[in-house]
Amino acid sequence: MQVDVPRPKDWGGEGPSLSSAEMRAEVLKAQAIQTERYKALPISWNSELSGAALRRYAGLGREGTLMLHTILESLGLSMRAHDRIIKLARTIADLEGSVNIVSAHLAEAVQYRNLDRQIMTED
């Protein structure tokens, strides 16, 4: 995953941001959530989800499914991209401490996927 991080115009910042230590703590918390969730499975991370496990642990519900299918159609993305977006949305939800994937998580995951796609076409 690649993320575009533009240079800030004001180095003072516009609001509270996480320090490196705080960000590390958030990541470790998300990893602990995943470790606990998959303790009975032969996987450890959201990136390893596939098939029935993907549907069980990263279900989108009706609204999320419709949203993602609409996005896939409009951007011309593949089913492989579909699964990657869902896995990334599950991770974003874990970082926020959310049990369920909501539309904001999907939208953020699609944004990262679309950025990755733009960078690949520029190369």
mmCIF file of all heavy atoms in Angstrom, residues 40-94:
data_model
loop_
_atom_site.group_PDB
_atom_site.id
_atom_site.type_symbol
_atom_site.label_atom_id
_atom_site.label_comp_id
_atom_site.label_asym_id
_atom_site.label_seq_id
_atom_site.Cartn_x
_atom_site.Cartn_y
_atom_site.Cartn_z
ATOM 1 N N ALA A 40 -8.110 -18.955 16.790
ATOM 2 C CA ALA A 40 -8.529 -20.337 16.502
ATOM 3 C C ALA A 40 -8.275 -20.723 15.048
ATOM 4 O O ALA A 40 -8.586 -21.842 14.645
ATOM 5 C CB ALA A 40 -10.020 -20.500 16.820
ATOM 6 N N LEU A 41 -7.699 -19.817 14.283
ATOM 7 C CA LEU A 41 -7.453 -20.069 12.855
ATOM 8 C C LEU A 41 -5.955 -20.141 12.581
ATOM 9 O O LEU A 41 -5.156 -19.627 13.367
ATOM 10 C CB LEU A 41 -8.072 -18.944 12.013
ATOM 11 C CG LEU A 41 -9.582 -18.756 12.112
ATOM 12 C CD1 LEU A 41 -10.007 -17.541 11.316
ATOM 13 C CD2 LEU A 41 -10.308 -19.989 11.624
ATOM 14 N N PRO A 42 -5.575 -20.702 11.450
ATOM 15 C CA PRO A 42 -4.152 -20.772 11.106
ATOM 16 C C PRO A 42 -3.645 -19.476 10.452
ATOM 17 O O PRO A 42 -2.728 -19.505 9.641
ATOM 18 C CB PRO A 42 -4.092 -21.956 10.131
ATOM 19 C CG PRO A 42 -5.417 -21.934 9.454
ATOM 20 C CD PRO A 42 -6.393 -21.481 10.512
ATOM 21 N N ILE A 43 -4.270 -18.355 10.798
ATOM 22 C CA ILE A 43 -3.823 -17.068 10.276
ATOM 23 C C ILE A 43 -3.653 -16.099 11.448
ATOM 24 O O ILE A 43 -4.156 -16.348 12.544
ATOM 25 C CB ILE A 43 -4.808 -16.465 9.237
ATOM 26 C CG1 ILE A 43 -6.152 -16.151 9.877
ATOM 27 C CG2 ILE A 43 -4.965 -17.398 8.051
ATOM 28 C CD1 ILE A 43 -7.094 -15.372 8.975
ATOM 29 N N SER A 44 -2.962 -14.986 11.186
ATOM 30 C CA SER A 44 -2.737 -13.990 12.233
ATOM 31 C C SER A 44 -3.217 -12.604 11.857
ATOM 32 O O SER A 44 -3.472 -11.785 12.734
ATOM 33 C CB SER A 44 -1.242 -13.905 12.559
ATOM 34 O OG SER A 44 -0.766 -15.153 13.004
ATOM 35 N N TRP A 45 -3.293 -12.317 10.556
ATOM 36 C CA TRP A 45 -3.531 -10.947 10.108
ATOM 37 C C TRP A 45 -4.677 -10.868 9.100
ATOM 38 O O TRP A 45 -4.962 -11.830 8.392
ATOM 39 C CB TRP A 45 -2.271 -10.364 9.464
ATOM 40 C CG TRP A 45 -1.047 -10.647 10.253
ATOM 41 C CD1 TRP A 45 -0.002 -11.435 9.889
ATOM 42 C CD2 TRP A 45 -0.729 -10.159 11.567
ATOM 43 N NE1 TRP A 45 0.935 -11.469 10.884
ATOM 44 C CE2 TRP A 45 0.520 -10.690 11.924
ATOM 45 C CE3 TRP A 45 -1.377 -9.319 12.472
ATOM 46 C CZ2 TRP A 45 1.140 -10.410 13.140
ATOM 47 C CZ3 TRP A 45 -0.763 -9.048 13.693
ATOM 48 C CH2 TRP A 45 0.469 -9.583 14.003
ATOM 49 N N ASN A 46 -5.265 -9.696 9.006
ATOM 50 C CA ASN A 46 -6.338 -9.471 8.038
ATOM 51 C C ASN A 46 -5.885 -9.767 6.612
ATOM 52 O O ASN A 46 -6.664 -10.250 5.799
ATOM 53 C CB ASN A 46 -6.833 -8.028 8.115
ATOM 54 C CG ASN A 46 -7.501 -7.713 9.437
ATOM 55 O OD1 ASN A 46 -8.064 -8.586 10.080
ATOM 56 N ND2 ASN A 46 -7.431 -6.461 9.847
ATOM 57 N N SER A 47 -4.639 -9.493 6.313
ATOM 58 C CA SER A 47 -4.129 -9.706 4.950
ATOM 59 C C SER A 47 -4.186 -11.164 4.525
ATOM 60 O O SER A 47 -4.162 -11.473 3.335
ATOM 61 C CB SER A 47 -2.693 -9.192 4.837
ATOM 62 O OG SER A 47 -1.850 -9.906 5.735
ATOM 63 N N GLU A 48 -4.302 -12.077 5.479
ATOM 64 C CA GLU A 48 -4.335 -13.512 5.183
ATOM 65 C C GLU A 48 -5.749 -14.052 4.988
ATOM 66 O O GLU A 48 -5.911 -15.233 4.670
ATOM 67 C CB GLU A 48 -3.662 -14.282 6.314
ATOM 68 C CG GLU A 48 -2.199 -13.912 6.511
ATOM 69 C CD GLU A 48 -1.604 -14.535 7.753
ATOM 70 O OE1 GLU A 48 -2.017 -14.145 8.869
ATOM 71 O OE2 GLU A 48 -0.740 -15.421 7.600
ATOM 72 N N LEU A 49 -6.742 -13.213 5.159
ATOM 73 C CA LEU A 49 -8.131 -13.657 5.006
ATOM 74 C C LEU A 49 -8.441 -14.034 3.568
ATOM 75 O O LEU A 49 -7.978 -13.376 2.632
ATOM 76 C CB LEU A 49 -9.097 -12.552 5.434
ATOM 77 C CG LEU A 49 -9.204 -12.262 6.916
ATOM 78 C CD1 LEU A 49 -10.022 -10.995 7.142
ATOM 79 C CD2 LEU A 49 -9.817 -13.442 7.648
ATOM 80 N N SER A 50 -9.261 -15.070 3.410
ATOM 81 C CA SER A 50 -9.752 -15.438 2.080
ATOM 82 C C SER A 50 -11.025 -16.256 2.250
ATOM 83 O O SER A 50 -11.315 -16.772 3.331
ATOM 84 C CB SER A 50 -8.705 -16.231 1.295
ATOM 85 O OG SER A 50 -8.435 -17.455 1.934
ATOM 86 N N GLY A 51 -11.786 -16.368 1.189
ATOM 87 C CA GLY A 51 -12.972 -17.212 1.162
ATOM 88 C C GLY A 51 -13.955 -16.954 2.282
ATOM 89 O O GLY A 51 -14.317 -15.817 2.567
ATOM 90 N N ALA A 52 -14.368 -18.038 2.947
ATOM 91 C CA ALA A 52 -15.370 -17.948 4.005
ATOM 92 C C ALA A 52 -14.879 -17.108 5.181
ATOM 93 O O ALA A 52 -15.664 -16.377 5.799
ATOM 94 C CB ALA A 52 -15.754 -19.344 4.480
ATOM 95 N N ALA A 53 -13.591 -17.180 5.497
ATOM 96 C CA ALA A 53 -13.051 -16.390 6.609
ATOM 97 C C ALA A 53 -13.138 -14.893 6.301
ATOM 98 O O ALA A 53 -13.437 -14.092 7.187
ATOM 99 C CB ALA A 53 -11.609 -16.786 6.901
ATOM 100 N N LEU A 54 -12.910 -14.523 5.055
ATOM 101 C CA LEU A 54 -13.036 -13.116 4.661
ATOM 102 C C LEU A 54 -14.471 -12.639 4.870
ATOM 103 O O LEU A 54 -14.705 -11.571 5.439
ATOM 104 C CB LEU A 54 -12.609 -12.932 3.200
ATOM 105 C CG LEU A 54 -12.690 -11.512 2.649
ATOM 106 C CD1 LEU A 54 -11.729 -10.582 3.379
ATOM 107 C CD2 LEU A 54 -12.375 -11.518 1.155
ATOM 108 N N ARG A 55 -15.428 -13.455 4.442
ATOM 109 C CA ARG A 55 -16.836 -13.079 4.605
ATOM 110 C C ARG A 55 -17.246 -13.045 6.075
ATOM 111 O O ARG A 55 -18.023 -12.188 6.493
ATOM 112 C CB ARG A 55 -17.725 -14.022 3.803
ATOM 113 C CG ARG A 55 -17.587 -13.840 2.285
ATOM 114 C CD ARG A 55 -18.578 -14.688 1.499
ATOM 115 N NE ARG A 55 -18.399 -16.117 1.689
ATOM 116 C CZ ARG A 55 -17.482 -16.867 1.070
ATOM 117 N NH1 ARG A 55 -16.661 -16.318 0.218
ATOM 118 N NH2 ARG A 55 -17.410 -18.168 1.293
ATOM 119 N N ARG A 56 -16.718 -13.963 6.868
ATOM 120 C CA ARG A 56 -17.102 -14.037 8.276
ATOM 121 C C ARG A 56 -16.523 -12.888 9.101
ATOM 122 O O ARG A 56 -17.209 -12.277 9.903
ATOM 123 C CB ARG A 56 -16.641 -15.359 8.871
ATOM 124 C CG ARG A 56 -16.960 -15.454 10.343
ATOM 125 C CD ARG A 56 -16.621 -16.785 10.929
ATOM 126 N NE ARG A 56 -16.933 -16.770 12.351
ATOM 127 C CZ ARG A 56 -16.515 -17.668 13.194
ATOM 128 N NH1 ARG A 56 -15.790 -18.681 12.766
ATOM 129 N NH2 ARG A 56 -16.822 -17.579 14.464
ATOM 130 N N TYR A 57 -15.240 -12.602 8.915
ATOM 131 C CA TYR A 57 -14.561 -11.627 9.766
ATOM 132 C C TYR A 57 -14.489 -10.222 9.177
ATOM 133 O O TYR A 57 -14.110 -9.287 9.875
ATOM 134 C CB TYR A 57 -13.149 -12.116 10.099
ATOM 135 C CG TYR A 57 -13.161 -13.369 10.918
ATOM 136 C CD1 TYR A 57 -12.892 -14.610 10.336
ATOM 137 C CD2 TYR A 57 -13.473 -13.328 12.272
ATOM 138 C CE1 TYR A 57 -12.911 -15.769 11.092
ATOM 139 C CE2 TYR A 57 -13.499 -14.490 13.032
ATOM 140 C CZ TYR A 57 -13.217 -15.703 12.441
ATOM 141 O OH TYR A 57 -13.254 -16.851 13.190
ATOM 142 N N ALA A 58 -14.844 -10.095 7.921
ATOM 143 C CA ALA A 58 -14.795 -8.773 7.281
ATOM 144 C C ALA A 58 -16.063 -8.530 6.469
ATOM 145 O O ALA A 58 -16.021 -7.967 5.383
ATOM 146 C CB ALA A 58 -13.549 -8.656 6.412
ATOM 147 N N GLY A 59 -17.182 -8.971 7.016
ATOM 148 C CA GLY A 59 -18.461 -8.767 6.337
ATOM 149 C C GLY A 59 -18.817 -7.287 6.247
ATOM 150 O O GLY A 59 -18.521 -6.522 7.158
ATOM 151 N N LEU A 60 -19.447 -6.927 5.161
ATOM 152 C CA LEU A 60 -19.765 -5.521 4.923
ATOM 153 C C LEU A 60 -21.212 -5.161 5.199
ATOM 154 O O LEU A 60 -21.532 -3.987 5.311
ATOM 155 C CB LEU A 60 -19.447 -5.162 3.459
ATOM 156 C CG LEU A 60 -18.014 -5.358 3.008
ATOM 157 C CD1 LEU A 60 -17.866 -4.974 1.552
ATOM 158 C CD2 LEU A 60 -17.059 -4.572 3.884
ATOM 159 N N GLY A 61 -22.076 -6.138 5.251
ATOM 160 C CA GLY A 61 -23.490 -5.820 5.358
ATOM 161 C C GLY A 61 -24.023 -5.366 4.005
ATOM 162 O O GLY A 61 -23.263 -5.166 3.047
ATOM 163 N N ARG A 62 -25.309 -5.191 3.935
ATOM 164 C CA ARG A 62 -25.949 -4.842 2.663
ATOM 165 C C ARG A 62 -25.481 -3.488 2.115
ATOM 166 O O ARG A 62 -25.124 -3.373 0.952
ATOM 167 C CB ARG A 62 -27.465 -4.842 2.850
ATOM 168 C CG ARG A 62 -28.250 -4.504 1.612
ATOM 169 C CD ARG A 62 -29.753 -4.713 1.843
ATOM 170 N NE ARG A 62 -30.601 -4.014 0.933
ATOM 171 C CZ ARG A 62 -30.713 -4.239 -0.365
ATOM 172 N NH1 ARG A 62 -29.974 -5.180 -0.925
ATOM 173 N NH2 ARG A 62 -31.540 -3.547 -1.113
ATOM 174 N N GLU A 63 -25.476 -2.478 2.969
ATOM 175 C CA GLU A 63 -25.091 -1.134 2.518
ATOM 176 C C GLU A 63 -23.642 -1.090 2.038
ATOM 177 O O GLU A 63 -23.331 -0.540 0.988
ATOM 178 C CB GLU A 63 -25.280 -0.134 3.659
ATOM 179 C CG GLU A 63 -24.973 1.293 3.261
ATOM 180 C CD GLU A 63 -25.167 2.253 4.427
ATOM 181 O OE1 GLU A 63 -26.133 2.086 5.198
ATOM 182 O OE2 GLU A 63 -24.335 3.176 4.553
ATOM 183 N N GLY A 64 -22.742 -1.702 2.802
ATOM 184 C CA GLY A 64 -21.335 -1.723 2.421
ATOM 185 C C GLY A 64 -21.097 -2.507 1.144
ATOM 186 O O GLY A 64 -20.287 -2.112 0.299
ATOM 187 N N THR A 65 -21.803 -3.623 0.992
ATOM 188 C CA THR A 65 -21.671 -4.438 -0.217
ATOM 189 C C THR A 65 -22.117 -3.658 -1.448
ATOM 190 O O THR A 65 -21.421 -3.651 -2.474
ATOM 191 C CB THR A 65 -22.488 -5.740 -0.083
ATOM 192 O OG1 THR A 65 -21.981 -6.477 1.039
ATOM 193 C CG2 THR A 65 -22.387 -6.589 -1.327
ATOM 194 N N LEU A 66 -23.251 -2.991 -1.341
ATOM 195 C CA LEU A 66 -23.733 -2.176 -2.466
ATOM 196 C C LEU A 66 -22.764 -1.048 -2.789
ATOM 197 O O LEU A 66 -22.470 -0.778 -3.950
ATOM 198 C CB LEU A 66 -25.122 -1.608 -2.162
ATOM 199 C CG LEU A 66 -26.268 -2.619 -2.129
ATOM 200 C CD1 LEU A 66 -27.555 -1.955 -1.634
ATOM 201 C CD2 LEU A 66 -26.470 -3.230 -3.511
ATOM 202 N N MET A 67 -22.260 -0.406 -1.748
ATOM 203 C CA MET A 67 -21.303 0.685 -1.946
ATOM 204 C C MET A 67 -20.055 0.192 -2.668
ATOM 205 O O MET A 67 -19.605 0.783 -3.645
ATOM 206 C CB MET A 67 -20.920 1.295 -0.605
ATOM 207 C CG MET A 67 -19.876 2.373 -0.683
ATOM 208 S SD MET A 67 -19.451 2.931 0.985
ATOM 209 C CE MET A 67 -18.009 3.918 0.622
ATOM 210 N N LEU A 68 -19.509 -0.929 -2.201
ATOM 211 C CA LEU A 68 -18.279 -1.448 -2.803
ATOM 212 C C LEU A 68 -18.507 -1.891 -4.242
ATOM 213 O O LEU A 68 -17.679 -1.616 -5.117
ATOM 214 C CB LEU A 68 -17.708 -2.586 -1.967
ATOM 215 C CG LEU A 68 -16.364 -3.148 -2.436
ATOM 216 C CD1 LEU A 68 -15.313 -2.053 -2.572
ATOM 217 C CD2 LEU A 68 -15.884 -4.232 -1.483
ATOM 218 N N HIS A 69 -19.631 -2.537 -4.522
ATOM 219 C CA HIS A 69 -19.896 -2.974 -5.897
ATOM 220 C C HIS A 69 -20.063 -1.773 -6.829
ATOM 221 O O HIS A 69 -19.600 -1.803 -7.975
ATOM 222 C CB HIS A 69 -21.110 -3.902 -5.944
ATOM 223 C CG HIS A 69 -20.791 -5.274 -5.462
ATOM 224 N ND1 HIS A 69 -20.144 -6.223 -6.210
ATOM 225 C CD2 HIS A 69 -20.992 -5.852 -4.252
ATOM 226 C CE1 HIS A 69 -19.965 -7.317 -5.509
ATOM 227 N NE2 HIS A 69 -20.477 -7.121 -4.309
ATOM 228 N N THR A 70 -20.686 -0.719 -6.348
ATOM 229 C CA THR A 70 -20.828 0.499 -7.144
ATOM 230 C C THR A 70 -19.457 1.092 -7.450
ATOM 231 O O THR A 70 -19.173 1.494 -8.583
ATOM 232 C CB THR A 70 -21.707 1.529 -6.402
ATOM 233 O OG1 THR A 70 -22.986 0.953 -6.170
ATOM 234 C CG2 THR A 70 -21.845 2.812 -7.195
ATOM 235 N N ILE A 71 -18.603 1.124 -6.450
ATOM 236 C CA ILE A 71 -17.246 1.658 -6.633
ATOM 237 C C ILE A 71 -16.449 0.796 -7.603
ATOM 238 O O ILE A 71 -15.758 1.313 -8.497
ATOM 239 C CB ILE A 71 -16.528 1.776 -5.277
ATOM 240 C CG1 ILE A 71 -17.171 2.882 -4.440
ATOM 241 C CG2 ILE A 71 -15.041 2.018 -5.454
ATOM 242 C CD1 ILE A 71 -16.739 2.904 -2.999
ATOM 243 N N LEU A 72 -16.532 -0.516 -7.444
ATOM 244 C CA LEU A 72 -15.804 -1.427 -8.342
ATOM 245 C C LEU A 72 -16.221 -1.211 -9.790
ATOM 246 O O LEU A 72 -15.377 -1.175 -10.686
ATOM 247 C CB LEU A 72 -16.035 -2.880 -7.939
ATOM 248 C CG LEU A 72 -15.407 -3.341 -6.637
ATOM 249 C CD1 LEU A 72 -15.850 -4.761 -6.307
ATOM 250 C CD2 LEU A 72 -13.898 -3.262 -6.689
ATOM 251 N N GLU A 73 -17.540 -1.085 -9.999
ATOM 252 C CA GLU A 73 -18.058 -0.857 -11.356
ATOM 253 C C GLU A 73 -17.550 0.463 -11.917
ATOM 254 O O GLU A 73 -17.081 0.525 -13.051
ATOM 255 C CB GLU A 73 -19.584 -0.851 -11.339
ATOM 256 C CG GLU A 73 -20.207 -2.194 -11.053
ATOM 257 C CD GLU A 73 -20.312 -3.058 -12.292
ATOM 258 O OE1 GLU A 73 -20.556 -2.506 -13.379
ATOM 259 O OE2 GLU A 73 -20.155 -4.279 -12.154
ATOM 260 N N SER A 74 -17.635 1.531 -11.125
ATOM 261 C CA SER A 74 -17.276 2.858 -11.636
ATOM 262 C C SER A 74 -15.777 2.992 -11.887
ATOM 263 O O SER A 74 -15.368 3.701 -12.801
ATOM 264 C CB SER A 74 -17.767 3.961 -10.698
ATOM 265 O OG SER A 74 -17.096 3.890 -9.465
ATOM 266 N N LEU A 75 -14.952 2.315 -11.090
ATOM 267 C CA LEU A 75 -13.503 2.404 -11.262
ATOM 268 C C LEU A 75 -12.933 1.282 -12.114
ATOM 269 O O LEU A 75 -11.750 1.280 -12.434
ATOM 270 C CB LEU A 75 -12.803 2.423 -9.895
ATOM 271 C CG LEU A 75 -13.102 3.617 -8.994
ATOM 272 C CD1 LEU A 75 -12.404 3.457 -7.647
ATOM 273 C CD2 LEU A 75 -12.688 4.916 -9.662
ATOM 274 N N GLY A 76 -13.769 0.298 -12.437
ATOM 275 C CA GLY A 76 -13.306 -0.823 -13.249
ATOM 276 C C GLY A 76 -12.312 -1.708 -12.517
ATOM 277 O O GLY A 76 -11.362 -2.215 -13.124
ATOM 278 N N LEU A 77 -12.530 -1.899 -11.231
ATOM 279 C CA LEU A 77 -11.613 -2.718 -10.442
ATOM 280 C C LEU A 77 -12.017 -4.193 -10.480
ATOM 281 O O LEU A 77 -13.177 -4.522 -10.688
ATOM 282 C CB LEU A 77 -11.592 -2.228 -8.984
ATOM 283 C CG LEU A 77 -11.086 -0.796 -8.777
ATOM 284 C CD1 LEU A 77 -11.234 -0.390 -7.321
ATOM 285 C CD2 LEU A 77 -9.648 -0.652 -9.226
ATOM 286 N N SER A 78 -11.063 -5.061 -10.241
ATOM 287 C CA SER A 78 -11.271 -6.512 -10.309
ATOM 288 C C SER A 78 -11.776 -7.073 -8.979
ATOM 289 O O SER A 78 -11.798 -6.379 -7.960
ATOM 290 C CB SER A 78 -9.943 -7.189 -10.648
ATOM 291 O OG SER A 78 -9.036 -7.032 -9.564
ATOM 292 N N MET A 79 -12.136 -8.348 -8.988
ATOM 293 C CA MET A 79 -12.525 -9.024 -7.755
ATOM 294 C C MET A 79 -11.323 -9.164 -6.817
ATOM 295 O O MET A 79 -11.474 -9.186 -5.607
ATOM 296 C CB MET A 79 -13.141 -10.396 -8.054
ATOM 297 C CG MET A 79 -14.549 -10.312 -8.596
ATOM 298 S SD MET A 79 -15.669 -9.305 -7.578
ATOM 299 C CE MET A 79 -15.835 -10.333 -6.128
ATOM 300 N N ARG A 80 -10.138 -9.237 -7.368
ATOM 301 C CA ARG A 80 -8.935 -9.261 -6.536
ATOM 302 C C ARG A 80 -8.822 -7.949 -5.767
ATOM 303 O O ARG A 80 -8.519 -7.937 -4.574
ATOM 304 C CB ARG A 80 -7.708 -9.488 -7.410
ATOM 305 C CG ARG A 80 -6.430 -9.616 -6.633
ATOM 306 C CD ARG A 80 -5.293 -9.986 -7.557
ATOM 307 N NE ARG A 80 -4.046 -9.982 -6.818
ATOM 308 C CZ ARG A 80 -2.877 -10.071 -7.368
ATOM 309 N NH1 ARG A 80 -2.770 -10.193 -8.668
ATOM 310 N NH2 ARG A 80 -1.801 -10.055 -6.638
ATOM 311 N N ALA A 81 -9.100 -6.843 -6.451
ATOM 312 C CA ALA A 81 -9.111 -5.537 -5.788
ATOM 313 C C ALA A 81 -10.209 -5.492 -4.736
ATOM 314 O O ALA A 81 -10.026 -4.913 -3.656
ATOM 315 C CB ALA A 81 -9.304 -4.423 -6.813
ATOM 316 N N HIS A 82 -11.348 -6.101 -5.030
ATOM 317 C CA HIS A 82 -12.474 -6.184 -4.092
ATOM 318 C C HIS A 82 -12.002 -6.770 -2.760
ATOM 319 O O HIS A 82 -12.237 -6.198 -1.691
ATOM 320 C CB HIS A 82 -13.565 -7.057 -4.725
ATOM 321 C CG HIS A 82 -14.687 -7.435 -3.847
ATOM 322 N ND1 HIS A 82 -14.634 -8.518 -2.994
ATOM 323 C CD2 HIS A 82 -15.915 -6.893 -3.690
ATOM 324 C CE1 HIS A 82 -15.775 -8.623 -2.345
ATOM 325 N NE2 HIS A 82 -16.582 -7.650 -2.746
ATOM 326 N N ASP A 83 -11.329 -7.906 -2.815
ATOM 327 C CA ASP A 83 -10.868 -8.560 -1.589
ATOM 328 C C ASP A 83 -9.810 -7.724 -0.876
ATOM 329 O O ASP A 83 -9.814 -7.622 0.352
ATOM 330 C CB ASP A 83 -10.317 -9.951 -1.893
ATOM 331 C CG ASP A 83 -11.411 -10.937 -2.276
ATOM 332 O OD1 ASP A 83 -12.602 -10.572 -2.233
ATOM 333 O OD2 ASP A 83 -11.061 -12.086 -2.621
ATOM 334 N N ARG A 84 -8.922 -7.120 -1.620
ATOM 335 C CA ARG A 84 -7.881 -6.286 -1.008
ATOM 336 C C ARG A 84 -8.491 -5.077 -0.308
ATOM 337 O O ARG A 84 -8.035 -4.690 0.769
ATOM 338 C CB ARG A 84 -6.878 -5.824 -2.067
ATOM 339 C CG ARG A 84 -5.962 -6.921 -2.517
ATOM 340 C CD ARG A 84 -4.970 -6.407 -3.517
ATOM 341 N NE ARG A 84 -4.010 -7.438 -3.830
ATOM 342 C CZ ARG A 84 -2.981 -7.268 -4.628
ATOM 343 N NH1 ARG A 84 -2.796 -6.101 -5.221
ATOM 344 N NH2 ARG A 84 -2.151 -8.253 -4.866
ATOM 345 N N ILE A 85 -9.494 -4.478 -0.919
ATOM 346 C CA ILE A 85 -10.161 -3.322 -0.313
ATOM 347 C C ILE A 85 -10.837 -3.736 0.991
ATOM 348 O O ILE A 85 -10.747 -3.032 1.998
ATOM 349 C CB ILE A 85 -11.172 -2.694 -1.302
ATOM 350 C CG1 ILE A 85 -10.407 -1.994 -2.430
ATOM 351 C CG2 ILE A 85 -12.116 -1.730 -0.594
ATOM 352 C CD1 ILE A 85 -11.272 -1.613 -3.618
ATOM 353 N N ILE A 86 -11.496 -4.881 0.991
ATOM 354 C CA ILE A 86 -12.168 -5.346 2.201
ATOM 355 C C ILE A 86 -11.151 -5.622 3.312
ATOM 356 O O ILE A 86 -11.359 -5.239 4.467
ATOM 357 C CB ILE A 86 -13.025 -6.594 1.920
ATOM 358 C CG1 ILE A 86 -14.202 -6.221 1.005
ATOM 359 C CG2 ILE A 86 -13.539 -7.207 3.223
ATOM 360 C CD1 ILE A 86 -15.018 -7.405 0.541
ATOM 361 N N LYS A 87 -10.046 -6.260 2.989
ATOM 362 C CA LYS A 87 -9.019 -6.536 3.994
ATOM 363 C C LYS A 87 -8.455 -5.249 4.577
ATOM 364 O O LYS A 87 -8.245 -5.128 5.788
ATOM 365 C CB LYS A 87 -7.887 -7.373 3.389
ATOM 366 C CG LYS A 87 -8.293 -8.781 3.016
ATOM 367 C CD LYS A 87 -7.147 -9.470 2.307
ATOM 368 C CE LYS A 87 -7.599 -10.712 1.593
ATOM 369 N NZ LYS A 87 -6.474 -11.379 0.918
ATOM 370 N N LEU A 88 -8.216 -4.280 3.717
ATOM 371 C CA LEU A 88 -7.694 -2.995 4.170
ATOM 372 C C LEU A 88 -8.736 -2.255 5.009
ATOM 373 O O LEU A 88 -8.406 -1.666 6.045
ATOM 374 C CB LEU A 88 -7.260 -2.145 2.970
ATOM 375 C CG LEU A 88 -6.646 -0.790 3.273
ATOM 376 C CD1 LEU A 88 -5.491 -0.904 4.259
ATOM 377 C CD2 LEU A 88 -6.192 -0.132 1.980
ATOM 378 N N ALA A 89 -9.993 -2.308 4.609
ATOM 379 C CA ALA A 89 -11.066 -1.680 5.386
ATOM 380 C C ALA A 89 -11.167 -2.332 6.771
ATOM 381 O O ALA A 89 -11.397 -1.650 7.774
ATOM 382 C CB ALA A 89 -12.393 -1.780 4.648
ATOM 383 N N ARG A 90 -10.981 -3.661 6.847
ATOM 384 C CA ARG A 90 -11.003 -4.361 8.137
ATOM 385 C C ARG A 90 -9.875 -3.844 9.027
ATOM 386 O O ARG A 90 -10.042 -3.636 10.225
ATOM 387 C CB ARG A 90 -10.866 -5.883 7.902
ATOM 388 C CG ARG A 90 -10.747 -6.767 9.119
ATOM 389 C CD ARG A 90 -12.026 -6.865 9.918
ATOM 390 N NE ARG A 90 -12.024 -5.841 10.944
ATOM 391 C CZ ARG A 90 -13.086 -5.456 11.638
ATOM 392 N NH1 ARG A 90 -14.248 -6.008 11.434
ATOM 393 N NH2 ARG A 90 -12.989 -4.510 12.541
ATOM 394 N N THR A 91 -8.701 -3.611 8.434
ATOM 395 C CA THR A 91 -7.561 -3.096 9.193
ATOM 396 C C THR A 91 -7.815 -1.664 9.656
ATOM 397 O O THR A 91 -7.498 -1.313 10.797
ATOM 398 C CB THR A 91 -6.274 -3.182 8.348
ATOM 399 O OG1 THR A 91 -6.029 -4.554 8.026
ATOM 400 C CG2 THR A 91 -5.078 -2.610 9.086
ATOM 401 N N ILE A 92 -8.393 -0.844 8.801
ATOM 402 C CA ILE A 92 -8.732 0.530 9.184
ATOM 403 C C ILE A 92 -9.725 0.510 10.339
ATOM 404 O O ILE A 92 -9.593 1.274 11.304
ATOM 405 C CB ILE A 92 -9.269 1.310 7.969
ATOM 406 C CG1 ILE A 92 -8.151 1.505 6.922
ATOM 407 C CG2 ILE A 92 -9.865 2.658 8.398
ATOM 408 C CD1 ILE A 92 -8.639 1.949 5.561
ATOM 409 N N ALA A 93 -10.713 -0.369 10.269
ATOM 410 C CA ALA A 93 -11.685 -0.505 11.355
ATOM 411 C C ALA A 93 -10.978 -0.940 12.643
ATOM 412 O O ALA A 93 -11.279 -0.414 13.725
ATOM 413 C CB ALA A 93 -12.773 -1.506 10.969
ATOM 414 N N ASP A 94 -10.031 -1.866 12.548
ATOM 415 C CA ASP A 94 -9.285 -2.307 13.726
ATOM 416 C C ASP A 94 -8.487 -1.150 14.337
ATOM 417 O O ASP A 94 -8.424 -1.007 15.556
ATOM 418 C CB ASP A 94 -8.331 -3.456 13.371
ATOM 419 C CG ASP A 94 -9.054 -4.754 13.083
ATOM 420 O OD1 ASP A 94 -10.240 -4.892 13.442
ATOM 421 O OD2 ASP A 94 -8.414 -5.644 12.479
#
